[in-house]
């Protein structure tokens, strides 16, 4: 184990010696235990050791950054020199800064030490469960990891954050096969600090496997109609990310291209929509504890009861624009459940589509989007009538948030976010 505090001290001295007036830096060491499964068979077990050192320095209102993977004295000295050279070649901007002094803290998160034997057994159990319950599934790739990280952040305002965290992650990529029929690839993911529960019961793994098997036989869809889109938690996350990226993040606020630029404190979504970024939520595993700018992270509501509460801005953009910086920089979205069972959400839809995944380009500045609905099902007269393929969906992200039909009682918690199924009107669905 490296003495990270000694390394940080050397970094600070080297940066000041080179002329840094303000700086922040993080030293981290990471140990990853990883099992790989390819084509349904164990293909690899390995343990990886990684060191990383990131430096950001400010000189004469110019900013320089650099990252390296070595901790020796020569590497530190060279990195500090290169960081200041980067700053010297930059453009001065008084908005550059680091957070003021924060209360120093040590964070212990998740399962720092892995139980490798039980981890292996849970992985083998998952393979057996998939084979027994979902015989048509071909596991293209399974990556299961325990990642153990010890990191130390300091800045020249005197803040110090030390973190000890560990978590288990399972990433699956699979398709279904029967005779000549095959489906497209689909992925499922969980992040957990506990091995008490079989992996197949976590997140949406079981349902994802079931849905992909059901996509072996598709129903034809011709023509075009406007209907309701039921977004699964994973596809909902995609759409919310696109909407927020389009309307409230640094670039669109700096460039003043956001259609929500004048919407703080105003209604931008259905009153039933509240979106929290909550890395401290108990259902989030190893959530963010401090931001990249050096602030202690706090949970916050970006939209509450449909009203826009905040932009998602870092310190630089906040200083540049006069708006407040975001209380955290995570994407740990928490949306609470509604009062309607998913089966009742579907039974109330005359014609629509259940969207498992969306593949499309960057939405327009105004939020217009268009792309292919992947791993999706057609809904007619309140029933799922079958899987669809080569089906396009289009709409507008801002309009979508105001066209909420219903929110499911069911939620999916994958260790990173907690999301329900949500049905939105105003989607255009196009077949062949």
């Amino acid at each position: 184990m490296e003495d990270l505090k000694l390394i940080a001290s050397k970094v600070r001295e080297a940066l000041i010696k080179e002329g840094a007036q303000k700086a922040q830096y993080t030293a981290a060491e990471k140990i990853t235990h990883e099992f790989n499964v390819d084509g349904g068979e164990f293909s690899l077990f390995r343990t990886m050791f990684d060191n990383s050192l990131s430096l950001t320095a400010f000189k004469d209102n110019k900013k320089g950054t650099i990252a390296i993977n070595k901790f020796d004295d020569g590497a530190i000295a060279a990195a500090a020199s290169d960081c200041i050279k980067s700053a010297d070649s930059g453009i001065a901007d008084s908005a550059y800064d680091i957070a003021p002094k924060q209360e120093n803290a040590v964070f212990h998160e998740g399962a720092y030490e892995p139980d490798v034997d039980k981890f292996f057994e849970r992985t083998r159990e998952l393979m057996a469960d998939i084979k027994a319950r979902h015989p048509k599934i071909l596991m293209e790739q399974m990556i299961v990891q325990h990642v153990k990280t010890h990191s130390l952040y300091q800045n020249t305002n005197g803040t110090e954050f030390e973190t000890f965290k560990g978590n288990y992650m399972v990433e699956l990529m699979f398709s279904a096969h029967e005779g000549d029929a095959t489906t497209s690839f689909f992925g499922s993911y969980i992040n957990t600090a506990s091995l008490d529960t079989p992996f197949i019961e976590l997140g949406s793994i079981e349902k994802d496997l079931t849905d992909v098997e059901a996509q072996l036989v598709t129903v034809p869809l011709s023509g075009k109609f406007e209907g309701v889109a039921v977004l699964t938690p994973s596809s909902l996350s995609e759409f919310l990310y696109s909407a927020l990226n389009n309307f409230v993040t640094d670039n669109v606020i700096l460039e003043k291209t956001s259609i929500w630029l004048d919407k703080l404190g105003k209604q931008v979504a259905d009153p039933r929509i509240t979106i929290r970024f909550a890395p401290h939520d108990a259902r989030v595993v190893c959530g963010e504890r401090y931001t990249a700018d050096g602030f202690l992270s706090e949970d916050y509501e970006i939209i509450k009861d449909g009203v826009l509460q905040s932009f998602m801005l870092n310190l630089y953009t906040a200083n540049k624009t006069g708006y407040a910086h975001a209380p955290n920089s995570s994407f740990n979205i928490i949306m609470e459940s509604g009062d309607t069972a998913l089966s009742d959400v579907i039974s109330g839809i005359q014609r629509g589509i259940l969207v498992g995944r969306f593949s499309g380009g960057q939405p327009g500045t105004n939020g217009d989007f268009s792309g292919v609905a992947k791993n999706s099902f057609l809904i007619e007269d309140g029933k799922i009538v079958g899987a669809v393929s080569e089906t396009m969906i289009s709409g507008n992200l801002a309009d979508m948030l105001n066209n909420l039909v219903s929110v499911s009682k069911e939620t999916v918690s994958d260790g990173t976010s907690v999301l329900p199924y949500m049905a939105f009107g105003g989607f255009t669905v196009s077949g062949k």
Side-chain angles (χ1 to χ4, degrees), residues 17 49 77 87 94 105 119 172 190 213 229 232 247 292 294 352 365 401:
K17 180 180 178 181
F49 301 86
S94 61
F119 187 33
L172 309 178
I190 59 166
E213 281 188 313
T232 65
F247 304 144
T365 303
L401 294 173

Side-chain angles (χ1 to χ4, degrees), residues 63 94 125 138 144 153 181 198 258 273 374 384 391:
K63 176 183 176 182
S94 61
E125 175 188 56
L138 174 63
V144 291
Y153 166 94
S258 169
I273 292 179
K374 299 277 192 177
I384 292 177
T391 302

